[in-house]
Amino acid sequence: MVERRLGALPASAEFLRRLDVAGIIDELCPIRDVAHVTHGQVIEVLVANRLAVPTSMVRVGDWARVWAVEEVFGVDPGFLNDDRLARALDAIAPQLEQS
């Protein structure tokens, strides 16, 4: 049996889904067909990470392995390395500048 922390992840996920955060980001920042997760999915997990443990933004994949990220968000923690987070943030940066 594997135990993972749940905390407020379900509540965070529900609010992010109601706001359609992933859908909006994915519409503005499409990804290649070979990607395992979308930019929107990565940003949703990153927002949940910031809400759950507001510390430095490194080792988010390690945090996701301890917390129930895969169960709640459907994102494999192995896809949340620092490079993937940076690509998602780089993808949304130009969109933020246009607002």
Side-chain angles (χ1 to χ4, degrees), residues 44-87:
E44 279 191 340
V45 170
L46 193 55
V47 169
N49 170 262
R50 304 291 70 216
L51 293 171
V53 232
T55 58
S56 64
M57 267 191 347
V58 294
R59 298 190 188 107
V60 173
D62 293 342
W63 165 82
R65 284 180 190 83
V66 174
W67 288 71
V69 168
E70 188 166 12
E71 293 81 359
V72 174
F73 289 94
V75 175
D76 182 336
F79 298 136
L80 298 171
N81 59 53
D82 292 344
D83 289 336
R84 182 62 186 93
L85 297 177
R87 284 194 305 275

Side-chain angles (χ1 to χ4, degrees), residues 16-17 20-22 39-49 73:
L16 291 165
R17 287 184 184 120
D20 193 27
V21 170
H39 294 315
Q41 289 174 298
V42 171
I43 297 301
E44 279 191 340
V45 170
L46 193 55
V47 169
N49 170 262
F73 289 94

